[in-house]
Amino acid sequence: SGDVNLLIAFATQPHNVAFDGGPDDRNSPFTKGLLRHIGDKVEIREMLGRVRASVVADSKGVQIPWDQSSLTDPIYLAGPPPVRPGANIRSIPPP
């Protein structure tokens, strides 16, 4: 089936509403966290953990980003990571 190496990231946990940000905010807490960490040269699950921590801090614990994954390979969004001999690595250029 085509469900291997799929990752879905949600702005908040199930049964909660994600904040859009205040009147002076250009972006939502999730977008701000994503913009803050999308360039980190870490594996995507670690990057999403950093986004999650950022959103939890910004929302004082009210909004908790959530993700579901069937990743079997490491995925890096911010360019090539340090290469280890024999590692199976995919690198996707940032948007």
Side-chain angles (χ1 to χ4, degrees):
S1 126
D3 294 338
V4 174
N5 282 318
L6 177 69
L7 180 135
I8 302 170
F10 301 92
T12 194
Q13 70 270 41
H15 310 293
N16 197 11
V17 176
F19 295 110
D20 286 334
D24 297 329
D25 293 327
R26 179 180 172 151
N27 295 307
S28 70
F30 182 74
T31 300
K32 284 193 287 190
L34 197 56
L35 290 171
R36 185 178 301 141
H37 294 290
I38 200 161
D40 294 357
K41 291 193 176 204
V42 296
E43 204 272 336
I44 194 167
R45 288 165 280 204
E46 182 175 342
M47 187 269 297
L48 287 173
R50 293 175 181 188
V51 170
R52 182 175 300 113
S54 174
V55 173
V56 169
D58 287 350
S59 71
K60 298 184 179 20
V62 176
Q63 182 174 332
I64 305 169
W66 206 262
D67 61 75
Q68 292 193 318
S69 161
S70 63
L71 296 180
T72 59
D73 298 326
I75 304 291
Y76 296 84
L77 298 180
V83 178
R84 297 179 321 267
N88 182 9
I89 296 174
R90 286 188 211 172
S91 180
I92 301 171

